[in-house]
Every structure is written in structure tokens, then in C-alpha cells.
Amino acid sequence: MASILLIEDDVTIRTALTRGLRELGNAVSSSSTALDGLRLAVQDRPDLVVLDLGLPDLDGLELLRMLRSVSQVPVIVATARDGDAEMVPVLDAGADDYVVKPFSAAQLNARVKAVLRRTGEDRPDASVKVGGLSVDPRSRVAALDGTPLDLTPREFDVLHYLAARAGEVVSKRELLTEVWQLPYGGADKTVDVHLSWLRRKLGETASEPRYLHTVRGVGVKLVGPA
């Protein structure tokens, strides 16, 4: 049973999702405002937060940033907003998943389970070194030439997955399945966005790669600089 905090101002949606998630075996609390939701997230320490973006007192994206400053609780953003202009800032702010309305409680429950599997799974504790890049899953610290990289939790997971398979070509579908825990696929664009962020933080570009090399039509591989 997962404890879920639902932050949603639409009473019809909030009531239906609360009832549906409870029927599927979850403990659900809810809030209709951003500030009260932040209070409950810090006070009750739920297993996961489901967050709407269109809240009456504060934009959900701003709430996500505030929440990330005090907690690493998994967050699924559930919103009617669609498109890159909305998705990219949310992922950049640290959301673990993004689902567009309308959706059923069963669909949301599947997302919840996938996110909790990923964030709660035991990771291999051996550190990895590739060239000047080191990735330590125990401390969740990655460094380039001795300088720690400022990575989001998802960026770290992607980098660690690729570094642990250095020299192997990894498909976007594999990353979605193994890192995002989305076995039926998802948005390839989500992978592209995270790889773009990683390249920027590694000091490279897709056209001038050092570590992350795109294999056109197949996937991406991480190798040490020549």
C-alpha cells in the first residue's frame, strides 16, 4: 500500500481519483491548494505526491520547486497542459513523471507503482569510472575530472545506467523501460531532453560529443574521450 498525497483543486477530479486510488489499495490524502499541499508533504511524508499545475494560490511548477528544496519525495505531475513548453520546465524542476489529463485512477495507479519501483529499488553499489567521469551510486555523486556535477535525480539515474554499460549502445526504449520504469514505452522526447541536459553539464554537444555519442536510429552510448 502506498501513501499518496493528491494536490488538485478540481473537486470532481480530486474526489474521483481519491476514491479510485483507495479502491486500488492506497492510502490517499488530498489538498486543494499549493501551500496546504506543501505543508502536508513536509508534515506527513507521503510515499508519493500527485501534483496538478493549475492551483488557485500558486502555480504548481513553483510549488514543485519549493517542494524539491526540502524533499526528494517522488512527484507525478498530472495536468491538462501538454507540449514541450510545459513538460520541459516540469522535468527540469525534478518531476519523476508527467501525465496529461484525462486519465483513469487505474492508469495513475500504474504510474505510481512504476515510479515507486524505480525510486525504491536497490541499485548496484559499485562506483563506475569512464575516462575522467566517475559515478558513485552509493553517494549518488557524479564528478567530471574531479569536479562534482549538479545533476537532478533522474539525470543521475540516466548517467549511471549508461556509465555502467560503457561502450554499449542503449536504445531510448531501454532507457524508458529501465530508468523510467515504463515497460510499454513512452515519450522518446523525454529521453532526448535528459540527454541534452546531461551533455550540457558534461560540457559537450550532440554535434561535438566527448562522452555521450548518438548512434543514429539505434540509441546512445557512453564512452571515454579518445
PDB file of all heavy atoms in Angstrom, residues 5 8 22-23 50 52 58 68 73 76 108 110 116-117 129 134 150 154 176 188 201 203 211 213 218 221-222:
ATOM      1  N   LEU A   5      -0.210  11.663  -1.620  1.00  0.00           N
ATOM      2  CA  LEU A   5      -0.783  12.988  -1.408  1.00  0.00           C
ATOM      3  C   LEU A   5      -1.203  13.542  -2.757  1.00  0.00           C
ATOM      4  O   LEU A   5      -0.378  13.692  -3.662  1.00  0.00           O
ATOM      5  CB  LEU A   5       0.233  13.920  -0.748  1.00  0.00           C
ATOM      6  CG  LEU A   5      -0.158  15.403  -0.670  1.00  0.00           C
ATOM      7  CD1 LEU A   5      -1.451  15.593   0.117  1.00  0.00           C
ATOM      8  CD2 LEU A   5       0.980  16.231  -0.078  1.00  0.00           C
ATOM      9  N   GLU A   8      -4.794  18.788  -5.869  1.00  0.00           N
ATOM     10  CA  GLU A   8      -5.679  19.007  -7.028  1.00  0.00           C
ATOM     11  C   GLU A   8      -6.833  19.901  -6.584  1.00  0.00           C
ATOM     12  O   GLU A   8      -7.521  19.604  -5.604  1.00  0.00           O
ATOM     13  CB  GLU A   8      -6.196  17.659  -7.531  1.00  0.00           C
ATOM     14  CG  GLU A   8      -7.352  17.706  -8.492  1.00  0.00           C
ATOM     15  CD  GLU A   8      -7.012  18.380  -9.810  1.00  0.00           C
ATOM     16  OE1 GLU A   8      -6.166  17.843 -10.543  1.00  0.00           O
ATOM     17  OE2 GLU A   8      -7.621  19.445 -10.085  1.00  0.00           O
ATOM     18  N   ARG A  22      -7.901   4.739  -3.602  1.00  0.00           N
ATOM     19  CA  ARG A  22      -8.163   3.996  -2.365  1.00  0.00           C
ATOM     20  C   ARG A  22      -8.694   2.601  -2.667  1.00  0.00           C
ATOM     21  O   ARG A  22      -8.305   1.619  -2.017  1.00  0.00           O
ATOM     22  CB  ARG A  22      -9.141   4.769  -1.485  1.00  0.00           C
ATOM     23  CG  ARG A  22      -8.510   5.967  -0.772  1.00  0.00           C
ATOM     24  CD  ARG A  22      -9.532   6.770   0.002  1.00  0.00           C
ATOM     25  NE  ARG A  22      -8.894   7.857   0.750  1.00  0.00           N
ATOM     26  CZ  ARG A  22      -9.551   8.861   1.317  1.00  0.00           C
ATOM     27  NH1 ARG A  22     -10.879   8.914   1.232  1.00  0.00           N
ATOM     28  NH2 ARG A  22      -8.901   9.801   1.974  1.00  0.00           N
ATOM     29  N   GLU A  23      -9.581   2.501  -3.651  1.00  0.00           N
ATOM     30  CA  GLU A  23     -10.120   1.192  -4.018  1.00  0.00           C
ATOM     31  C   GLU A  23      -9.020   0.267  -4.539  1.00  0.00           C
ATOM     32  O   GLU A  23      -9.146  -0.965  -4.459  1.00  0.00           O
ATOM     33  CB  GLU A  23     -11.212   1.361  -5.080  1.00  0.00           C
ATOM     34  CG  GLU A  23     -12.496   1.987  -4.532  1.00  0.00           C
ATOM     35  CD  GLU A  23     -13.512   2.274  -5.626  1.00  0.00           C
ATOM     36  OE1 GLU A  23     -13.151   2.138  -6.824  1.00  0.00           O
ATOM     37  OE2 GLU A  23     -14.651   2.645  -5.294  1.00  0.00           O
ATOM     38  N   VAL A  50       1.050  13.457  -6.082  1.00  0.00           N
ATOM     39  CA  VAL A  50       0.459  13.693  -7.401  1.00  0.00           C
ATOM     40  C   VAL A  50       0.074  15.164  -7.439  1.00  0.00           C
ATOM     41  O   VAL A  50      -0.736  15.623  -6.624  1.00  0.00           O
ATOM     42  CB  VAL A  50      -0.766  12.807  -7.656  1.00  0.00           C
ATOM     43  CG1 VAL A  50      -1.387  13.136  -9.015  1.00  0.00           C
ATOM     44  CG2 VAL A  50      -0.381  11.336  -7.595  1.00  0.00           C
ATOM     45  N   ASP A  52      -1.167  18.690  -9.448  1.00  0.00           N
ATOM     46  CA  ASP A  52      -1.757  19.443 -10.558  1.00  0.00           C
ATOM     47  C   ASP A  52      -1.006  20.767 -10.697  1.00  0.00           C
ATOM     48  O   ASP A  52      -0.525  21.317  -9.703  1.00  0.00           O
ATOM     49  CB  ASP A  52      -3.237  19.692 -10.265  1.00  0.00           C
ATOM     50  CG  ASP A  52      -3.907  20.515 -11.350  1.00  0.00           C
ATOM     51  OD1 ASP A  52      -3.589  20.316 -12.538  1.00  0.00           O
ATOM     52  OD2 ASP A  52      -4.759  21.367 -11.014  1.00  0.00           O
ATOM     53  N   LEU A  58      -1.026  29.245  -6.123  1.00  0.00           N
ATOM     54  CA  LEU A  58       0.363  29.217  -6.559  1.00  0.00           C
ATOM     55  C   LEU A  58       0.459  28.256  -7.730  1.00  0.00           C
ATOM     56  O   LEU A  58      -0.181  27.202  -7.720  1.00  0.00           O
ATOM     57  CB  LEU A  58       1.264  28.731  -5.409  1.00  0.00           C
ATOM     58  CG  LEU A  58       2.754  29.007  -5.464  1.00  0.00           C
ATOM     59  CD1 LEU A  58       3.016  30.514  -5.350  1.00  0.00           C
ATOM     60  CD2 LEU A  58       3.458  28.283  -4.316  1.00  0.00           C
ATOM     61  N   ARG A  68      10.962  20.524  -3.962  1.00  0.00           N
ATOM     62  CA  ARG A  68      12.266  19.925  -4.218  1.00  0.00           C
ATOM     63  C   ARG A  68      13.369  20.523  -3.341  1.00  0.00           C
ATOM     64  O   ARG A  68      14.405  19.896  -3.128  1.00  0.00           O
ATOM     65  CB  ARG A  68      12.636  20.076  -5.697  1.00  0.00           C
ATOM     66  CG  ARG A  68      12.084  18.971  -6.564  1.00  0.00           C
ATOM     67  CD  ARG A  68      12.759  17.637  -6.256  1.00  0.00           C
ATOM     68  NE  ARG A  68      12.075  16.513  -6.868  1.00  0.00           N
ATOM     69  CZ  ARG A  68      11.236  15.714  -6.224  1.00  0.00           C
ATOM     70  NH1 ARG A  68      10.985  15.912  -4.942  1.00  0.00           N
ATOM     71  NH2 ARG A  68      10.649  14.709  -6.833  1.00  0.00           N
ATOM     72  N   VAL A  73      10.749  13.515  -2.194  1.00  0.00           N
ATOM     73  CA  VAL A  73       9.596  12.647  -2.388  1.00  0.00           C
ATOM     74  C   VAL A  73       9.289  12.547  -3.884  1.00  0.00           C
ATOM     75  O   VAL A  73       9.327  13.559  -4.601  1.00  0.00           O
ATOM     76  CB  VAL A  73       8.372  13.180  -1.612  1.00  0.00           C
ATOM     77  CG1 VAL A  73       7.956  14.559  -2.110  1.00  0.00           C
ATOM     78  CG2 VAL A  73       7.184  12.213  -1.727  1.00  0.00           C
ATOM     79  N   ILE A  76       4.573  12.956  -9.286  1.00  0.00           N
ATOM     80  CA  ILE A  76       3.972  12.803 -10.609  1.00  0.00           C
ATOM     81  C   ILE A  76       3.145  14.052 -10.877  1.00  0.00           C
ATOM     82  O   ILE A  76       2.235  14.370 -10.109  1.00  0.00           O
ATOM     83  CB  ILE A  76       3.063  11.553 -10.694  1.00  0.00           C
ATOM     84  CG1 ILE A  76       3.882  10.276 -10.508  1.00  0.00           C
ATOM     85  CG2 ILE A  76       2.332  11.523 -12.043  1.00  0.00           C
ATOM     86  CD1 ILE A  76       3.033   9.009 -10.499  1.00  0.00           C
ATOM     87  N   LEU A 108      -3.307   6.073 -13.417  1.00  0.00           N
ATOM     88  CA  LEU A 108      -2.464   6.797 -12.475  1.00  0.00           C
ATOM     89  C   LEU A 108      -1.820   5.837 -11.488  1.00  0.00           C
ATOM     90  O   LEU A 108      -0.632   5.977 -11.151  1.00  0.00           O
ATOM     91  CB  LEU A 108      -3.288   7.848 -11.730  1.00  0.00           C
ATOM     92  CG  LEU A 108      -2.531   8.691 -10.702  1.00  0.00           C
ATOM     93  CD1 LEU A 108      -1.363   9.426 -11.357  1.00  0.00           C
ATOM     94  CD2 LEU A 108      -3.474   9.684 -10.026  1.00  0.00           C
ATOM     95  N   ALA A 110      -0.930   2.789 -12.008  1.00  0.00           N
ATOM     96  CA  ALA A 110       0.176   2.106 -12.692  1.00  0.00           C
ATOM     97  C   ALA A 110       1.411   3.002 -12.727  1.00  0.00           C
ATOM     98  O   ALA A 110       2.543   2.532 -12.541  1.00  0.00           O
ATOM     99  CB  ALA A 110      -0.246   1.719 -14.107  1.00  0.00           C
ATOM    100  N   LEU A 116       7.453   4.311  -7.910  1.00  0.00           N
ATOM    101  CA  LEU A 116       7.899   3.806  -6.615  1.00  0.00           C
ATOM    102  C   LEU A 116       8.861   2.627  -6.778  1.00  0.00           C
ATOM    103  O   LEU A 116       9.781   2.469  -5.975  1.00  0.00           O
ATOM    104  CB  LEU A 116       6.699   3.411  -5.753  1.00  0.00           C
ATOM    105  CG  LEU A 116       5.839   4.578  -5.260  1.00  0.00           C
ATOM    106  CD1 LEU A 116       4.665   4.068  -4.433  1.00  0.00           C
ATOM    107  CD2 LEU A 116       6.675   5.558  -4.443  1.00  0.00           C
ATOM    108  N   ARG A 117       8.662   1.802  -7.813  1.00  0.00           N
ATOM    109  CA  ARG A 117       9.624   0.729  -8.076  1.00  0.00           C
ATOM    110  C   ARG A 117      10.987   1.312  -8.396  1.00  0.00           C
ATOM    111  O   ARG A 117      12.014   0.855  -7.900  1.00  0.00           O
ATOM    112  CB  ARG A 117       9.160  -0.139  -9.249  1.00  0.00           C
ATOM    113  CG  ARG A 117       8.123  -1.187  -8.903  1.00  0.00           C
ATOM    114  CD  ARG A 117       8.042  -2.249  -9.991  1.00  0.00           C
ATOM    115  NE  ARG A 117       7.779  -1.695 -11.302  1.00  0.00           N
ATOM    116  CZ  ARG A 117       6.561  -1.506 -11.807  1.00  0.00           C
ATOM    117  NH1 ARG A 117       5.498  -1.813 -11.081  1.00  0.00           N
ATOM    118  NH2 ARG A 117       6.402  -1.012 -13.017  1.00  0.00           N
ATOM    119  N   LYS A 129      33.940   4.320 -13.321  1.00  0.00           N
ATOM    120  CA  LYS A 129      34.803   5.347 -13.884  1.00  0.00           C
ATOM    121  C   LYS A 129      34.945   5.125 -15.384  1.00  0.00           C
ATOM    122  O   LYS A 129      35.220   4.013 -15.827  1.00  0.00           O
ATOM    123  CB  LYS A 129      36.193   5.320 -13.234  1.00  0.00           C
ATOM    124  CG  LYS A 129      36.245   6.020 -11.887  1.00  0.00           C
ATOM    125  CD  LYS A 129      37.676   6.170 -11.402  1.00  0.00           C
ATOM    126  CE  LYS A 129      38.498   7.092 -12.278  1.00  0.00           C
ATOM    127  NZ  LYS A 129      38.048   8.501 -12.179  1.00  0.00           N
ATOM    128  N   SER A 134      33.402   9.940 -13.124  1.00  0.00           N
ATOM    129  CA  SER A 134      33.163   8.945 -12.082  1.00  0.00           C
ATOM    130  C   SER A 134      31.733   9.064 -11.596  1.00  0.00           C
ATOM    131  O   SER A 134      31.207  10.172 -11.442  1.00  0.00           O
ATOM    132  CB  SER A 134      34.132   9.134 -10.908  1.00  0.00           C
ATOM    133  OG  SER A 134      33.931  10.396 -10.285  1.00  0.00           O
ATOM    134  N   ASP A 150      26.273  18.918 -10.989  1.00  0.00           N
ATOM    135  CA  ASP A 150      24.988  19.267 -10.382  1.00  0.00           C
ATOM    136  C   ASP A 150      23.880  18.601 -11.201  1.00  0.00           C
ATOM    137  O   ASP A 150      23.395  19.160 -12.190  1.00  0.00           O
ATOM    138  CB  ASP A 150      24.813  20.785 -10.361  1.00  0.00           C
ATOM    139  CG  ASP A 150      23.507  21.205  -9.697  1.00  0.00           C
ATOM    140  OD1 ASP A 150      22.901  20.368  -8.984  1.00  0.00           O
ATOM    141  OD2 ASP A 150      23.086  22.357  -9.897  1.00  0.00           O
ATOM    142  N   ARG A 154      16.894  12.221 -11.746  1.00  0.00           N
ATOM    143  CA  ARG A 154      16.689  11.464 -12.982  1.00  0.00           C
ATOM    144  C   ARG A 154      17.915  11.535 -13.876  1.00  0.00           C
ATOM    145  O   ARG A 154      18.290  10.541 -14.510  1.00  0.00           O
ATOM    146  CB  ARG A 154      15.449  11.995 -13.713  1.00  0.00           C
ATOM    147  CG  ARG A 154      15.073  11.225 -14.989  1.00  0.00           C
ATOM    148  CD  ARG A 154      14.857   9.751 -14.749  1.00  0.00           C
ATOM    149  NE  ARG A 154      13.822   9.474 -13.792  1.00  0.00           N
ATOM    150  CZ  ARG A 154      12.513   9.509 -14.030  1.00  0.00           C
ATOM    151  NH1 ARG A 154      12.054   9.831 -15.207  1.00  0.00           N
ATOM    152  NH2 ARG A 154      11.653   9.201 -13.078  1.00  0.00           N
ATOM    153  N   LEU A 176      13.741   4.122 -21.259  1.00  0.00           N
ATOM    154  CA  LEU A 176      12.383   4.324 -20.748  1.00  0.00           C
ATOM    155  C   LEU A 176      11.941   3.156 -19.874  1.00  0.00           C
ATOM    156  O   LEU A 176      11.286   3.326 -18.848  1.00  0.00           O
ATOM    157  CB  LEU A 176      11.400   4.514 -21.906  1.00  0.00           C
ATOM    158  CG  LEU A 176      11.452   5.866 -22.613  1.00  0.00           C
ATOM    159  CD1 LEU A 176      10.683   5.811 -23.922  1.00  0.00           C
ATOM    160  CD2 LEU A 176      10.885   6.963 -21.720  1.00  0.00           C
ATOM    161  N   ASP A 188       9.770   9.416 -26.385  1.00  0.00           N
ATOM    162  CA  ASP A 188      11.201   9.463 -26.671  1.00  0.00           C
ATOM    163  C   ASP A 188      11.754  10.854 -26.397  1.00  0.00           C
ATOM    164  O   ASP A 188      12.927  11.025 -26.052  1.00  0.00           O
ATOM    165  CB  ASP A 188      11.474   9.092 -28.132  1.00  0.00           C
ATOM    166  CG  ASP A 188      11.344   7.599 -28.387  1.00  0.00           C
ATOM    167  OD1 ASP A 188      11.081   6.860 -27.420  1.00  0.00           O
ATOM    168  OD2 ASP A 188      11.495   7.189 -29.535  1.00  0.00           O
ATOM    169  N   LYS A 201      25.833  19.564 -19.117  1.00  0.00           N
ATOM    170  CA  LYS A 201      26.566  19.508 -17.852  1.00  0.00           C
ATOM    171  C   LYS A 201      27.909  18.803 -17.988  1.00  0.00           C
ATOM    172  O   LYS A 201      28.812  18.999 -17.163  1.00  0.00           O
ATOM    173  CB  LYS A 201      25.686  18.840 -16.790  1.00  0.00           C
ATOM    174  CG  LYS A 201      24.470  19.703 -16.446  1.00  0.00           C
ATOM    175  CD  LYS A 201      23.559  19.082 -15.409  1.00  0.00           C
ATOM    176  CE  LYS A 201      22.382  20.012 -15.123  1.00  0.00           C
ATOM    177  NZ  LYS A 201      21.467  19.461 -14.085  1.00  0.00           N
ATOM    178  N   GLY A 203      29.707  19.377 -20.582  1.00  0.00           N
ATOM    179  CA  GLY A 203      30.494  20.295 -21.394  1.00  0.00           C
ATOM    180  C   GLY A 203      30.635  19.878 -22.832  1.00  0.00           C
ATOM    181  O   GLY A 203      31.671  20.109 -23.460  1.00  0.00           O
ATOM    182  N   TYR A 211      31.566  12.219 -24.311  1.00  0.00           N
ATOM    183  CA  TYR A 211      31.172  11.001 -23.608  1.00  0.00           C
ATOM    184  C   TYR A 211      29.898  10.378 -24.197  1.00  0.00           C
ATOM    185  O   TYR A 211      29.830   9.166 -24.368  1.00  0.00           O
ATOM    186  CB  TYR A 211      30.941  11.293 -22.120  1.00  0.00           C
ATOM    187  CG  TYR A 211      32.218  11.501 -21.349  1.00  0.00           C
ATOM    188  CD1 TYR A 211      32.756  12.778 -21.189  1.00  0.00           C
ATOM    189  CD2 TYR A 211      32.906  10.436 -20.774  1.00  0.00           C
ATOM    190  CE1 TYR A 211      33.942  12.979 -20.485  1.00  0.00           C
ATOM    191  CE2 TYR A 211      34.088  10.624 -20.070  1.00  0.00           C
ATOM    192  CZ  TYR A 211      34.595  11.899 -19.934  1.00  0.00           C
ATOM    193  OH  TYR A 211      35.774  12.084 -19.231  1.00  0.00           O
ATOM    194  N   HIS A 213      27.558   9.593 -27.097  1.00  0.00           N
ATOM    195  CA  HIS A 213      27.574   9.523 -28.555  1.00  0.00           C
ATOM    196  C   HIS A 213      26.265   8.925 -29.066  1.00  0.00           C
ATOM    197  O   HIS A 213      25.885   7.818 -28.671  1.00  0.00           O
ATOM    198  CB  HIS A 213      28.747   8.665 -29.034  1.00  0.00           C
ATOM    199  CG  HIS A 213      30.081   9.265 -28.719  1.00  0.00           C
ATOM    200  ND1 HIS A 213      30.865   9.870 -29.670  1.00  0.00           N
ATOM    201  CD2 HIS A 213      30.767   9.351 -27.548  1.00  0.00           C
ATOM    202  CE1 HIS A 213      31.984  10.307 -29.102  1.00  0.00           C
ATOM    203  NE2 HIS A 213      31.945   9.998 -27.809  1.00  0.00           N
ATOM    204  N   VAL A 218      19.542   3.984 -33.565  1.00  0.00           N
ATOM    205  CA  VAL A 218      19.716   2.870 -32.621  1.00  0.00           C
ATOM    206  C   VAL A 218      19.602   3.326 -31.172  1.00  0.00           C
ATOM    207  O   VAL A 218      18.809   2.816 -30.392  1.00  0.00           O
ATOM    208  CB  VAL A 218      21.082   2.164 -32.828  1.00  0.00           C
ATOM    209  CG1 VAL A 218      21.212   0.973 -31.885  1.00  0.00           C
ATOM    210  CG2 VAL A 218      21.228   1.715 -34.274  1.00  0.00           C
ATOM    211  N   LYS A 221      25.424   5.763 -26.662  1.00  0.00           N
ATOM    212  CA  LYS A 221      26.402   5.034 -25.860  1.00  0.00           C
ATOM    213  C   LYS A 221      27.328   6.023 -25.163  1.00  0.00           C
ATOM    214  O   LYS A 221      27.587   7.122 -25.667  1.00  0.00           O
ATOM    215  CB  LYS A 221      27.203   4.047 -26.707  1.00  0.00           C
ATOM    216  CG  LYS A 221      28.121   4.679 -27.741  1.00  0.00           C
ATOM    217  CD  LYS A 221      28.915   3.597 -28.484  1.00  0.00           C
ATOM    218  CE  LYS A 221      29.796   4.198 -29.566  1.00  0.00           C
ATOM    219  NZ  LYS A 221      30.583   3.180 -30.284  1.00  0.00           N
ATOM    220  N   LEU A 222      27.814   5.609 -23.998  1.00  0.00           N
ATOM    221  CA  LEU A 222      28.752   6.425 -23.245  1.00  0.00           C
ATOM    222  C   LEU A 222      30.129   5.796 -23.341  1.00  0.00           C
ATOM    223  O   LEU A 222      30.302   4.604 -23.012  1.00  0.00           O
ATOM    224  CB  LEU A 222      28.307   6.538 -21.774  1.00  0.00           C
ATOM    225  CG  LEU A 222      29.081   7.524 -20.901  1.00  0.00           C
ATOM    226  CD1 LEU A 222      28.174   8.099 -19.822  1.00  0.00           C
ATOM    227  CD2 LEU A 222      30.288   6.856 -20.240  1.00  0.00           C
TER     228      LEU A 222
END
